Amino acid sequence: MHEAEPTAQLIDAFVVPTTKGAAVFVETHYCELDAETGPFQLAIYSPMVLSRGEQAIIRSRVEGDLFTNAVRNCQLGNRWFLELCMGLVGLGVFALLVAFLTINYVAIFAAIFWALPFGFGPLAVQALRSVRFRRVGKRARSTLQCGEFLPEVVVGRNGDAVARLRELWSVVESKDQFVDVMRLEHEARFRARWPAAALFYRKLARLSPGHNQASLLRRVIFKAGEWFEPDATPRLIATRSR
Amino acid sequence: MINLSCWAVPIRDGYVLRADQSAVSLFGSAPARNPQFWGWSITVVHPQEPMFSAPLARRAAIFAVDYLRHASDFKTFRAVGNRNWWTERGLGFVLILVSGGHWVPALAGIWLLVGHRWLRRLIGLDAGISSVPVSPTQEPRIVSEVHDGLAKIGRAIDGIDDVLVAYAAAATYARVEGLEQVAEVYDSLAGGVHPAQLDPDLGFWVGNEIVHDVSRPALPPPCDEHDSSNSDLSEESRTR
C-alpha cells in the first residue's frame, strides 16, 4: 500500500469480524469532509492483508457512496433563507387551518386533525433541515464541484483505531464462546468501547435476521438505540471470508 | 477521475467481465460532479496475474462499464423529494372536498395540492440536479489487480470436471467470499446458459483463445472508444 498524501482527508474503512467471515464498514461521516481542504483518500484498517483487487473494489464502493451522499445533500441549505420563508408560509397556512377546524368543529374534522401532521409535517421538516444542515449542504456542493478521490489506498495508522480493531478480532479468535452478531455488538460497545462498530453490528443484525439470535426485547432496545444516535450511520461496504 | 472496478470472473473457457455495482452510484452521481472529473480509471480485478492481453482487457472493461453507464443514465436522484407526494396530495384533495365553500380549508388544500410546489419552482428552490449524460472527457485508464477471492474460486473450479457442477460450486464459493455479483454470474452459467448468451446485465464473455493472444484482439483497436461508445456497444452485440 502507499503512504498517505499529506493534504489528503482520510476515509477510514475497517475490516471487522462477523459470524461467518468479515465485513468492511466506513466509520468516517461523509458530511464532515470538505473537499476544499484536500483530496479524499481511503485508509483501510485490517488485521489481514487485503489483495489489491479487494482494495480496488472497496475504494470504488466508498467513492460511489461518498458522491451519492453528496448528491443527496447538495440541495440542503442552498438558499436556506428562502426555504425558511417557505416553511413560515406553510406554518401560517397550517395555523389558519387548525384555528378554522377548532372553531368550526364537526365530527369529520377529527380525522383531518390526525392527518394534518402527515401533510404539513414534511414541509416543515424540509425547511428546518435546510437551515439546520446548511453547512452539510455547502460541503456536499464543494465535494461535487472539486472533490477528488485518490486512487491509492493507504494502511490505516491511527493507534486508537488499530487497538479497537484488535480488541474486536480477539473476540472471534479466542474461540471459547459462541459468537453471534449481538455478542460482537456487546463486545464492540463494552470491550472495545467503539460506538461506531456497535452501531454497525446493530445495522447488520437488522439486515440479516438469520444472524440475529437475540431476544425480542434486546432487539427492541437496539432499535431504540438507533433513534438516539441518528447521525452515526456506519456503512456496510463489502463482506469477505476470513 | 472516477475510480471504477470491473470483475473478471473466471470461467472454464475465459472470463466474464462485469462492472462492479458501485459503478451505478458513481455514474448516478457523475452528472452533478464537475465535468473535469468525468474521466474513467477502471481497475479490472482478476484471479491471477498474467492472464490478460492489455488491449482486450481494455476493450472488455470499457464495454462492461459502458453498459452499466447507459443502464444507470436514468436512475438519478429525482425521486428523493417525492416521498410524501401521496400524503400531501391526498390531504389536499380531502381538504378541498370538505371545505364546503370556506376559503381557509380550500386554501390549505390548494397549498398542499399544488401551491407550495408551484411556489418552490417559481423561486427556484427545486432546481434539479443536472441530468446531462456523462461521457468520459479523458482517455480511460485501465489497470488490473489480483483479487484473492476470485483466485480461490478459480482454483476451486479447476478441480471439478463437470462444468455445470463446477459453476454451481463456484456460486457457493463466491457467496462464502461475499462476492454476490460474481455468484450471480455462476448461478446463470450453472443453469446451462452458454457464456456467449449471458444477459448483458450479468457481463460480457471473453473467450480463452482471444484472452491469451495479444495479436488477435476480439474487437477493433481501441481508437475513439469514448467518443463512439454507443456504436461500440451495438457493434459488440452484433459480434456476439
Side-chain angles (χ1 to χ4, degrees):
Chain A
M1 286 201 203
H2 300 77
E3 287 298 314
E5 289 280 326
T7 58
Q9 300 177 82
L10 295 180
I11 297 175
D12 297 330
F14 294 89
V15 180
V16 292
T18 60
T19 50
K20 291 182 177 172
V24 184
F25 82 92
V26 170
E27 186 179 14
T28 306
H29 292 183
Y30 298 140
C31 300
E32 291 168 3
L33 298 171
D34 190 350
E36 288 171 11
T37 313
F40 308 121
Q41 192 164 27
L42 182 66
I44 297 183
Y45 292 81
S46 170
M48 68 279 277
V49 178
L50 299 183
S51 61
R52 292 176 67 92
E54 286 173 294
Q55 291 172 21
I57 295 287
I58 294 170
R59 184 197 58 210
S60 295
R61 291 186 182 174
V62 171
E63 184 176 347
D65 213 17
L66 171 73
F67 286 105
T68 301
N69 189 69
V71 170
R72 289 216 177 95
N73 291 333
C74 69
Q75 299 286 10
L76 281 176
N78 193 10
R79 304 182 183 184
W80 63 270
F81 186 71
L82 286 177
E83 284 274 9
L84 186 63
C85 292
M86 280 289 296
L88 289 175
V89 172
L91 192 66
V93 173
F94 176 73
L96 263 178
L97 183 63
V98 169
F100 174 86
L101 295 178
T102 311
I103 292 166
N104 305 287
Y105 185 79
V106 288
I108 194 171
F109 287 172
I112 294 175
F113 261 121
W114 286 107
L116 286 184
F118 297 104
F120 285 90
L123 305 178
V125 169
Q126 192 175 6
L128 288 175
R129 268 173 59 85
S130 195
V131 176
R132 170 76 180 79
F133 297 114
R134 58 186 185 278
R135 289 206 181 100
V136 171
K138 192 180 169 201
R139 285 191 211 112
R141 288 190 291 280
S142 111
T143 296
L144 293 174
Q145 189 56 34
C146 56
E148 184 190 3
F149 205 103
L150 298 177
E152 295 85 15
V153 177
V154 298
V155 178
R157 296 197 195 282
N158 181 300
D160 285 345
V162 171
R164 287 197 304 259
L165 191 64
R166 277 197 187 151
E167 282 288 341
L168 208 48
W169 274 96
S170 66
V171 176
V172 289
E173 282 159 1
S174 64
K175 290 181 180 171
D176 59 349
Q177 56 196 347
F178 175 72
V179 175
D180 66 353
V181 177
M182 294 308 170
R183 175 85 201 165
L184 288 166
E185 193 272 348
H186 183 267
E187 297 294 342
R189 186 192 290 257
F190 294 106
R191 187 161 158 183
R193 297 186 185 280
W194 193 2
L199 259 176
F200 171 74
Y201 284 121
R202 282 207 292 271
K203 195 173 169 185
L204 197 65
R206 199 184 59 205
L207 285 174
S208 53
H211 293 181
N212 187 353
Q213 296 173 13
S215 67
L216 181 64
L217 177 65
R218 210 166 166 198
R219 273 185 255 172
V220 170
I221 292 170
F222 288 142
K223 183 73 185 163
E226 286 184 2
W227 298 334
F228 296 112
E229 300 170 274
D231 292 334
T233 53
R235 292 151 188 276
L236 173 65
I237 298 298
T239 53
R240 75 189 298 278
S241 62
R242 266 179 222 156
Chain B
M1 281 193 137
I2 300 174
N3 296 299
L4 302 157
S5 296
C6 182
W7 297 97
V9 181
I11 58 173
R12 269 298 159 79
D13 40 1
Y15 293 88
V16 172
L17 271 285
R18 182 182 193 188
D20 185 58
Q21 66 192 35
S22 56
V24 175
S25 53
L26 283 165
F27 284 131
S29 59
R33 291 182 70 182
N34 191 326
Q36 70 167 324
F37 296 111
W38 283 1
W40 298 353
S41 171
I42 305 173
T43 304
V44 178
V45 295
H46 56 88
Q48 293 171 49
E49 197 63 79
M51 294 298 278
F52 278 104
S53 69
L56 188 69
R58 182 185 175 80
R59 298 288 304 182
I62 290 173
F63 266 127
V65 164
D66 210 32
Y67 179 81
L68 215 53
R69 172 166 75 94
H70 288 294
S72 63
D73 262 354
F74 303 101
K75 292 176 189 168
T76 46
F77 298 86
R78 285 172 210 142
V80 173
N82 294 336
R83 226 175 281 157
N84 307 302
W85 195 92
W86 284 107
T87 47
E88 285 171 13
R89 298 285 162 104
L91 184 61
F93 188 66
V94 169
L95 281 171
I96 290 173
L97 274 183
V98 301
S99 66
H102 294 287
W103 67 272
V104 174
L107 172 74
I110 291 168
W111 173 255
L112 286 176
L113 260 180
V114 290
H116 76 95
R117 291 193 186 280
W118 173 78
L119 194 56
R120 288 181 69 84
R121 207 164 295 145
L122 188 72
I123 58 181
L125 279 177
D126 275 346
I129 296 158
S130 165
S131 56
V132 178
V134 179
S135 58
T137 52
Q138 304 161 40
E139 186 72 10
R141 193 170 72 96
I142 318 284
V143 292
S144 61
E145 300 286 8
V146 176
H147 190 288
D148 279 351
L150 285 181
K152 279 185 205 167
I153 296 167
R155 284 194 294 273
I157 59 173
D158 280 346
I160 302 173
D161 290 334
D162 187 287
V163 176
L164 295 185
V165 174
Y167 289 150
T172 307
Y173 281 118
R175 290 212 163 83
V176 170
E177 290 293 324
L179 311 178
E180 189 57 39
Q181 277 191 287
V182 175
E184 286 171 9
V185 175
Y186 286 125
D187 278 338
S188 185
L189 293 173
V193 176
H194 190 272
Q197 294 169 330
L198 271 178
D199 189 330
D201 283 336
L202 288 176
F204 294 87
W205 175 51
V206 180
N208 255 342
E209 69 278 13
I210 49 179
V211 169
H212 298 295
D213 189 353
V214 185
S215 63
R216 276 187 59 204
L219 298 159
C223 56
D224 303 335
E225 64 226 345
H226 55 274
D227 293 329
S228 56
S229 51
N230 283 336
S231 58
D232 279 353
L233 201 59
S234 55
E235 194 178 316
E236 167 73 346
S237 310
R238 281 199 300 275
T239 309
R240 295 170 52 205

PDB file of all heavy atoms in Angstrom, chain B residues 151-169:
ATOM      1  N   ALA B 151      -9.332 -15.598  -7.027  1.00  0.00           N
ATOM      2  CA  ALA B 151      -8.291 -16.618  -7.208  1.00  0.00           C
ATOM      3  C   ALA B 151      -8.718 -17.930  -6.552  1.00  0.00           C
ATOM      4  O   ALA B 151      -8.548 -19.008  -7.129  1.00  0.00           O
ATOM      5  CB  ALA B 151      -6.976 -16.122  -6.611  1.00  0.00           C
ATOM      6  N   LYS B 152      -9.297 -17.826  -5.341  1.00  0.00           N
ATOM      7  CA  LYS B 152      -9.761 -19.042  -4.653  1.00  0.00           C
ATOM      8  C   LYS B 152     -10.825 -19.751  -5.480  1.00  0.00           C
ATOM      9  O   LYS B 152     -10.825 -20.967  -5.621  1.00  0.00           O
ATOM     10  CB  LYS B 152     -10.362 -18.668  -3.292  1.00  0.00           C
ATOM     11  CG  LYS B 152      -9.334 -18.445  -2.199  1.00  0.00           C
ATOM     12  CD  LYS B 152     -10.055 -18.209  -0.879  1.00  0.00           C
ATOM     13  CE  LYS B 152      -9.181 -17.400   0.057  1.00  0.00           C
ATOM     14  NZ  LYS B 152      -9.925 -16.886   1.204  1.00  0.00           N
ATOM     15  N   ILE B 153     -11.741 -18.961  -6.022  1.00  0.00           N
ATOM     16  CA  ILE B 153     -12.827 -19.551  -6.818  1.00  0.00           C
ATOM     17  C   ILE B 153     -12.253 -20.193  -8.079  1.00  0.00           C
ATOM     18  O   ILE B 153     -12.640 -21.300  -8.470  1.00  0.00           O
ATOM     19  CB  ILE B 153     -13.872 -18.468  -7.185  1.00  0.00           C
ATOM     20  CG1 ILE B 153     -14.527 -17.938  -5.912  1.00  0.00           C
ATOM     21  CG2 ILE B 153     -14.925 -19.027  -8.117  1.00  0.00           C
ATOM     22  CD1 ILE B 153     -15.332 -16.672  -6.129  1.00  0.00           C
ATOM     23  N   GLY B 154     -11.325 -19.498  -8.706  1.00  0.00           N
ATOM     24  CA  GLY B 154     -10.711 -20.023  -9.930  1.00  0.00           C
ATOM     25  C   GLY B 154     -10.041 -21.368  -9.667  1.00  0.00           C
ATOM     26  O   GLY B 154     -10.202 -22.319 -10.449  1.00  0.00           O
ATOM     27  N   ARG B 155      -9.334 -21.472  -8.545  1.00  0.00           N
ATOM     28  CA  ARG B 155      -8.664 -22.739  -8.209  1.00  0.00           C
ATOM     29  C   ARG B 155      -9.698 -23.830  -7.922  1.00  0.00           C
ATOM     30  O   ARG B 155      -9.512 -24.992  -8.291  1.00  0.00           O
ATOM     31  CB  ARG B 155      -7.759 -22.546  -6.995  1.00  0.00           C
ATOM     32  CG  ARG B 155      -6.453 -21.817  -7.309  1.00  0.00           C
ATOM     33  CD  ARG B 155      -5.465 -21.967  -6.163  1.00  0.00           C
ATOM     34  NE  ARG B 155      -5.909 -21.308  -4.950  1.00  0.00           N
ATOM     35  CZ  ARG B 155      -5.673 -20.015  -4.672  1.00  0.00           C
ATOM     36  NH1 ARG B 155      -4.992 -19.268  -5.525  1.00  0.00           N
ATOM     37  NH2 ARG B 155      -6.100 -19.481  -3.549  1.00  0.00           N
ATOM     38  N   ALA B 156     -10.782 -23.433  -7.276  1.00  0.00           N
ATOM     39  CA  ALA B 156     -11.805 -24.420  -6.911  1.00  0.00           C
ATOM     40  C   ALA B 156     -12.461 -25.022  -8.152  1.00  0.00           C
ATOM     41  O   ALA B 156     -12.662 -26.243  -8.219  1.00  0.00           O
ATOM     42  CB  ALA B 156     -12.862 -23.766  -6.025  1.00  0.00           C
ATOM     43  N   ILE B 157     -12.786 -24.194  -9.135  1.00  0.00           N
ATOM     44  CA  ILE B 157     -13.494 -24.755 -10.300  1.00  0.00           C
ATOM     45  C   ILE B 157     -12.542 -25.534 -11.213  1.00  0.00           C
ATOM     46  O   ILE B 157     -12.975 -26.381 -11.978  1.00  0.00           O
ATOM     47  CB  ILE B 157     -14.274 -23.691 -11.113  1.00  0.00           C
ATOM     48  CG1 ILE B 157     -13.360 -22.600 -11.642  1.00  0.00           C
ATOM     49  CG2 ILE B 157     -15.386 -23.096 -10.314  1.00  0.00           C
ATOM     50  CD1 ILE B 157     -14.107 -21.642 -12.590  1.00  0.00           C
ATOM     51  N   ASP B 158     -11.271 -25.267 -11.114  1.00  0.00           N
ATOM     52  CA  ASP B 158     -10.319 -26.028 -11.928  1.00  0.00           C
ATOM     53  C   ASP B 158     -10.292 -27.504 -11.533  1.00  0.00           C
ATOM     54  O   ASP B 158      -9.988 -28.364 -12.354  1.00  0.00           O
ATOM     55  CB  ASP B 158      -8.905 -25.440 -11.768  1.00  0.00           C
ATOM     56  CG  ASP B 158      -8.739 -24.207 -12.643  1.00  0.00           C
ATOM     57  OD1 ASP B 158      -9.599 -24.008 -13.519  1.00  0.00           O
ATOM     58  OD2 ASP B 158      -7.787 -23.430 -12.433  1.00  0.00           O
ATOM     59  N   GLY B 159     -10.609 -27.774 -10.276  1.00  0.00           N
ATOM     60  CA  GLY B 159     -10.522 -29.153  -9.801  1.00  0.00           C
ATOM     61  C   GLY B 159     -11.786 -29.970 -10.023  1.00  0.00           C
ATOM     62  O   GLY B 159     -11.854 -31.119  -9.589  1.00  0.00           O
ATOM     63  N   ILE B 160     -12.795 -29.418 -10.658  1.00  0.00           N
ATOM     64  CA  ILE B 160     -14.058 -30.148 -10.866  1.00  0.00           C
ATOM     65  C   ILE B 160     -14.245 -30.374 -12.364  1.00  0.00           C
ATOM     66  O   ILE B 160     -14.176 -29.427 -13.153  1.00  0.00           O
ATOM     67  CB  ILE B 160     -15.247 -29.347 -10.293  1.00  0.00           C
ATOM     68  CG1 ILE B 160     -15.017 -29.080  -8.805  1.00  0.00           C
ATOM     69  CG2 ILE B 160     -16.559 -30.098 -10.494  1.00  0.00           C
ATOM     70  CD1 ILE B 160     -16.030 -28.157  -8.173  1.00  0.00           C
ATOM     71  N   ASP B 161     -14.498 -31.621 -12.739  1.00  0.00           N
ATOM     72  CA  ASP B 161     -14.565 -31.960 -14.166  1.00  0.00           C
ATOM     73  C   ASP B 161     -15.843 -31.459 -14.822  1.00  0.00           C
ATOM     74  O   ASP B 161     -15.815 -30.860 -15.891  1.00  0.00           O
ATOM     75  CB  ASP B 161     -14.449 -33.477 -14.343  1.00  0.00           C
ATOM     76  CG  ASP B 161     -13.041 -33.933 -14.011  1.00  0.00           C
ATOM     77  OD1 ASP B 161     -12.110 -33.107 -14.153  1.00  0.00           O
ATOM     78  OD2 ASP B 161     -12.868 -35.096 -13.586  1.00  0.00           O
ATOM     79  N   ASP B 162     -16.962 -31.768 -14.190  1.00  0.00           N
ATOM     80  CA  ASP B 162     -18.243 -31.387 -14.799  1.00  0.00           C
ATOM     81  C   ASP B 162     -18.412 -29.862 -14.750  1.00  0.00           C
ATOM     82  O   ASP B 162     -18.340 -29.256 -13.680  1.00  0.00           O
ATOM     83  CB  ASP B 162     -19.387 -32.072 -14.042  1.00  0.00           C
ATOM     84  CG  ASP B 162     -20.714 -31.854 -14.731  1.00  0.00           C
ATOM     85  OD1 ASP B 162     -21.226 -30.722 -14.666  1.00  0.00           O
ATOM     86  OD2 ASP B 162     -21.229 -32.807 -15.357  1.00  0.00           O
ATOM     87  N   VAL B 163     -18.682 -29.276 -15.908  1.00  0.00           N
ATOM     88  CA  VAL B 163     -18.715 -27.810 -15.996  1.00  0.00           C
ATOM     89  C   VAL B 163     -19.843 -27.220 -15.143  1.00  0.00           C
ATOM     90  O   VAL B 163     -19.631 -26.274 -14.385  1.00  0.00           O
ATOM     91  CB  VAL B 163     -18.894 -27.380 -17.478  1.00  0.00           C
ATOM     92  CG1 VAL B 163     -19.018 -25.872 -17.572  1.00  0.00           C
ATOM     93  CG2 VAL B 163     -17.736 -27.862 -18.300  1.00  0.00           C
ATOM     94  N   LEU B 164     -21.028 -27.810 -15.272  1.00  0.00           N
ATOM     95  CA  LEU B 164     -22.171 -27.233 -14.549  1.00  0.00           C
ATOM     96  C   LEU B 164     -22.001 -27.382 -13.035  1.00  0.00           C
ATOM     97  O   LEU B 164     -22.338 -26.476 -12.274  1.00  0.00           O
ATOM     98  CB  LEU B 164     -23.470 -27.900 -15.002  1.00  0.00           C
ATOM     99  CG  LEU B 164     -23.853 -27.669 -16.472  1.00  0.00           C
ATOM    100  CD1 LEU B 164     -25.211 -28.275 -16.778  1.00  0.00           C
ATOM    101  CD2 LEU B 164     -23.864 -26.188 -16.816  1.00  0.00           C
ATOM    102  N   VAL B 165     -21.476 -28.521 -12.631  1.00  0.00           N
ATOM    103  CA  VAL B 165     -21.221 -28.724 -11.202  1.00  0.00           C
ATOM    104  C   VAL B 165     -20.173 -27.708 -10.719  1.00  0.00           C
ATOM    105  O   VAL B 165     -20.288 -27.129  -9.635  1.00  0.00           O
ATOM    106  CB  VAL B 165     -20.741 -30.174 -10.929  1.00  0.00           C
ATOM    107  CG1 VAL B 165     -20.328 -30.332  -9.474  1.00  0.00           C
ATOM    108  CG2 VAL B 165     -21.833 -31.163 -11.281  1.00  0.00           C
ATOM    109  N   ALA B 166     -19.164 -27.505 -11.567  1.00  0.00           N
ATOM    110  CA  ALA B 166     -18.112 -26.539 -11.206  1.00  0.00           C
ATOM    111  C   ALA B 166     -18.705 -25.148 -11.009  1.00  0.00           C
ATOM    112  O   ALA B 166     -18.362 -24.445 -10.051  1.00  0.00           O
ATOM    113  CB  ALA B 166     -17.048 -26.511 -12.297  1.00  0.00           C
ATOM    114  N   TYR B 167     -19.606 -24.753 -11.902  1.00  0.00           N
ATOM    115  CA  TYR B 167     -20.201 -23.410 -11.775  1.00  0.00           C
ATOM    116  C   TYR B 167     -21.099 -23.320 -10.540  1.00  0.00           C
ATOM    117  O   TYR B 167     -21.131 -22.286  -9.865  1.00  0.00           O
ATOM    118  CB  TYR B 167     -21.005 -23.060 -13.026  1.00  0.00           C
ATOM    119  CG  TYR B 167     -20.129 -22.805 -14.235  1.00  0.00           C
ATOM    120  CD1 TYR B 167     -20.582 -23.088 -15.525  1.00  0.00           C
ATOM    121  CD2 TYR B 167     -18.848 -22.273 -14.097  1.00  0.00           C
ATOM    122  CE1 TYR B 167     -19.781 -22.855 -16.635  1.00  0.00           C
ATOM    123  CE2 TYR B 167     -18.044 -22.043 -15.195  1.00  0.00           C
ATOM    124  CZ  TYR B 167     -18.513 -22.338 -16.465  1.00  0.00           C
ATOM    125  OH  TYR B 167     -17.714 -22.107 -17.541  1.00  0.00           O
ATOM    126  N   ALA B 168     -21.830 -24.413 -10.276  1.00  0.00           N
ATOM    127  CA  ALA B 168     -22.694 -24.404  -9.083  1.00  0.00           C
ATOM    128  C   ALA B 168     -21.834 -24.281  -7.814  1.00  0.00           C
ATOM    129  O   ALA B 168     -22.162 -23.522  -6.895  1.00  0.00           O
ATOM    130  CB  ALA B 168     -23.540 -25.682  -9.038  1.00  0.00           C
ATOM    131  N   ALA B 169     -20.735 -25.033  -7.804  1.00  0.00           N
ATOM    132  CA  ALA B 169     -19.828 -24.940  -6.646  1.00  0.00           C
ATOM    133  C   ALA B 169     -19.215 -23.549  -6.559  1.00  0.00           C
ATOM    134  O   ALA B 169     -19.075 -22.987  -5.463  1.00  0.00           O
ATOM    135  CB  ALA B 169     -18.733 -26.003  -6.773  1.00  0.00           C
TER     136      ALA B 169
END
